[in-house]
Amino acid sequence: HPGRLRAAAKPSVADGKDLKYNLILSHLFYKDSGKEDIDLAFQLGTEKQYSVVTDAAVTFILADGSEISLPQTRDEVNFIYLYPSLPQLRALAYGQVTDLRIQTEDGTLTDAILDDSFSKALNQQYQLLMSLSAR
């Protein structure tokens, strides 16, 4: 698509109690409309196979008790693909994600995030993408 600019941050890793998360944030900007989209993708670092089907709920629990739940957008194994709004992304990046709940075909995968690493990784990538898109 000629009117589309895409910037992707280098992957960074967040640590959970049970799994590692390899995060990749992408920012798409459409020149003709001035609209922008954010893609948040992350891989579950585990030998175990978790099947996460389209529309399965991926829920982030924040330190203040609030939750942000987003639908998985593809049928994948150990790979999550989400389209958060900018306000949702900011809440994830500037808040503190303490726990993750992922609906899988075998039930709900729940993991505690260590050392605020999920929000820190997202925050770094978000800052980088915003500085790139400001040019």
Side-chain angles (χ1 to χ4, degrees), residues 16-35:
K17 193 163 71 64
D18 300 324
L19 303 178
K20 285 197 179 298
Y21 302 91
N22 203 4
L23 282 75
I24 305 162
L25 200 60
S26 303
H27 179 255
L28 286 87
F29 182 76
Y30 304 91
K31 286 193 251 186
D32 31 345
S33 64
K35 287 174 76 163

Side-chain angles (χ1 to χ4, degrees), residues 5 11 18 21 33 53 66-67 73 76 111 113 123 125 128:
L5 296 175
D18 300 324
Y21 302 91
S33 64
V53 299
S66 64
E67 295 185 2
T73 59
E76 291 282 355
D111 196 11
I113 301 300
N123 191 309
Q125 293 193 11
L128 175 76

Side-chain angles (χ1 to χ4, degrees), residues 27-74:
H27 179 255
L28 286 87
F29 182 76
Y30 304 91
K31 286 193 251 186
D32 31 345
S33 64
K35 287 174 76 163
E36 53 189 343
D37 285 323
I38 294 283
D39 296 1
L40 169 57
F42 58 95
Q43 190 160 13
L44 307 180
T46 174
E47 294 298 306
K48 200 167 173 223
Q49 301 273 296
Y50 290 102
S51 180
V52 186
V53 299
T54 303
D55 289 336
V58 177
T59 305
F60 301 88
I61 295 99
L62 300 173
D64 65 4
S66 64
E67 295 185 2
I68 293 176
S69 198
L70 298 164
Q72 162 78 322
T73 59
R74 300 181 179 175

